Amino acid sequence: MSATLRARGFAALVAGVVVAGTVLAPAAASAAERVVLSKGHTDAIDVHYEGGALSLKVNDDTVSPSVTRDPADVTFQVLPEAAMAVPDDPRFAFLGPAGSQVWLLPMTQDPDLLWPGWNTTTLDPGAFEGNKVRLSLVDVEGPGNVTLFTQDSFGGPLIKFRGDDGLPDAIDVPVQTHAHSNWAFGALGSYTLTFQAEATLTNGTTVSTGPVDYSFVVGELPGGGPEVGLSITGMADAYQPNDTVTLNAVQTPQTELDHYHWFSKCPGAADWSIIAGEAGVSYSFTATRELNACEYVVKLYDDDHAVAATSEPVALRVASPPGQPGAAQTITASIDDTQGALVISVNPDDRAVVLPPAQLNAGGDRWESNGELRPVTVTDTRAGQPGWSASGQIPAGFTGPDGAAFSANHLGWSPRILAQGSGQGVVAGPEIAPPGGGLGDSAVLGSAPGGAGRGTAQLGAGLRLSLPTDTAAGTYTATLTLTAI
């Protein structure tokens, strides 16, 4: 019996622009700034352990570089486009009657919807007993049922958390895990999901985050109207010293919101600074040589002081004092720290893994085969150096002759670093051993911490297939999806 594994590589770009300076790790957002996340990737349940304390954060990957937020400052929006009919399949009866409507954030990314997951990649191996933390859904408040579930290789649901059959529900999550599931909501409206993480340290001490509330809105935001865009007008190409500069905030379309804050960042500054006392639609000031190359943005806030819109930055240019005619030049160079990309790829001519024919193990109770993943290349050219994590998953399992199939959890790997650039700090992901733990769930192949990921690294892994002896003979194939975030 032989098995064939085809690896399909693709780029997962951390998209979006954040108005912030260059940082070497995910920046911490201001506690006063509330945000609504409705599209893109986010580690909604991001487990941290620092200073002896376990905590839950939100890793907002919808902006670049990513931002670490307090869950209290985030509203997760399930857009109306997430609506779908419950399948006419008894396996999904927990979602409601067939044909009834639910709102689903899928476990595979839809660029038009939010893609929330949970993450323990910030936790160090060896800190906790069993190298795991227990994640619990403690409570759900809202107008409908809430269920988080994955799917097996046959498409059947694997329920992780379910709000209508008694809470709390708990799962054990290994450290260095980045995972996604389907998030299903049974009705439009506002929800509060209360999560908790706890673990036992290797010295026997139990640590816990305590209950942490997460806010979700299914459908339109309360009092919401059309999405508003924000831009700045009035900035001239260049100014002379002592000229008056007047910048105006322009909403598209115009709304009733009128609460603004203006921010500036001058050369050498790491972060944007709020301009004290400037909360109106216009901002006027005097141009000076010291302000040359400073940038300005404006933010619009709603009644709850959440950011409703943020403008693109505009730059001020102030002419140099006159000198001898023809004896001086002004040369201005700009570097956009939002440029660059994170790309994961495989050689298109070297992307097929053919495992050797499986043999009985020494105990005579398993078919086993060992092979090698073809090299995987991760290239990070982002100036902000936020770090990255590369992972792999076989969501659909293996298929064989005459409809035969088996779960991808029968295939595991032992990741390793084949090569990395000078100054990179790439580390291999944890070993995933079959049967039981396998590549049916997302598993980390390798990662780089903030400040040490820029460059090109090549990752590999030893593969191990372990199957029960009653598996039907034949050639089986599967597709491994590779992702970098």
Side-chain angles (χ1 to χ4, degrees), residues 10 12 40-45 59 61-62 76 105-110 113-121 135 147-152 158-161 171 173 177-183 389 391-393 395 440-443 483-485:
F10 64 92
H41 176 266
T42 177
D43 296 319
I45 309 168
N59 179 37
D61 217 6
T62 68
F76 300 92
L105 298 178
M107 64 180 291
T108 55
Q109 186 168 20
D110 182 335
L113 298 174
L114 190 64
W115 194 34
W118 54 81
N119 180 47
T120 61
T121 60
L135 183 62
T147 306
L148 277 67
F149 66 98
T150 58
Q151 290 171 266
D152 62 24
L158 301 172
I159 296 176
K160 302 298 183 181
F161 304 106
I171 60 173
V173 181
T177 293
H178 172 259
H180 288 269
S181 73
N182 299 292
W183 298 60
S389 176
S391 59
Q393 182 179 10
D441 295 319
S442 180
T483 308
I485 61 171

Side-chain angles (χ1 to χ4, degrees), residues 272-370:
W272 292 84
S273 299
I274 190 169
I275 301 172
E278 296 297 335
V281 68
S282 297
Y283 168 46
S284 294
F285 59 97
T286 300
T288 65
R289 280 293 306 153
E290 290 73 22
L291 295 179
N292 182 54
C294 291
E295 294 182 289
Y296 299 86
V297 299
V298 62
K299 296 185 180 184
L300 177 67
Y301 296 80
D302 63 18
D303 294 337
D304 295 324
H305 204 69
V307 177
T310 301
S311 74
E312 293 292 330
V314 295
L316 177 69
R317 301 287 178 248
V318 182
S320 300
Q324 294 181 356
Q329 295 183 8
T330 298
I331 300 175
T332 301
S334 298
I335 298 176
D336 186 352
D337 65 0
T338 67
Q339 297 300 307
L342 176 64
V343 179
I344 185 169
S345 62
V346 295
N347 185 339
D349 297 322
D350 187 20
R351 60 194 302 161
V353 178
V354 180
L355 299 177
Q359 305 290 327
L360 285 174
N361 65 0
D365 61 345
R366 306 286 296 179
W367 290 109
E368 293 193 346
S369 179
N370 295 285

Side-chain angles (χ1 to χ4, degrees), residues 110-133:
D110 182 335
D112 295 325
L113 298 174
L114 190 64
W115 194 34
W118 54 81
N119 180 47
T120 61
T121 60
T122 65
L123 303 180
D124 294 328
F128 306 105
E129 286 188 1
N131 273 329
K132 64 184 180 182
V133 297

Side-chain angles (χ1 to χ4, degrees), residues 30-54:
S30 167
E33 180 176 293
R34 295 179 56 84
V35 297
V36 176
L37 303 182
S38 59
K39 292 183 181 181
H41 176 266
T42 177
D43 296 319
I45 309 168
D46 195 25
V47 187
H48 289 250
Y49 180 67
E50 298 172 326
L54 200 65

Side-chain angles (χ1 to χ4, degrees), residues 155-238:
L158 301 172
I159 296 176
K160 302 298 183 181
F161 304 106
R162 181 174 175 180
D164 66 348
D165 65 349
L167 292 175
D169 286 345
I171 60 173
D172 287 331
V173 181
V175 301
Q176 298 290 300
T177 293
H178 172 259
H180 288 269
S181 73
N182 299 292
W183 298 60
F185 296 82
L188 295 168
S190 298
Y191 294 77
T192 299
L193 277 57
T194 304
F195 287 96
Q196 177 174 299
E198 56 188 355
T200 301
L201 302 177
T202 52
N203 64 9
T205 302
T206 299
V207 290
S208 173
T209 63
V212 179
D213 289 341
Y214 285 74
S215 297
F216 283 77
V217 172
V218 180
E220 299 291 353
L221 295 175
E227 184 175 344
V228 59
L230 194 63
S231 60
I232 295 175
T233 64
M235 181 69 81
D237 291 338

Side-chain angles (χ1 to χ4, degrees), residues 50-73:
E50 298 172 326
L54 200 65
S55 62
L56 293 183
K57 302 293 184 182
V58 175
N59 179 37
D60 179 4
D61 217 6
T62 68
V63 295
S64 178
S66 58
V67 175
T68 299
R69 303 187 186 276
D70 189 320
D73 296 333

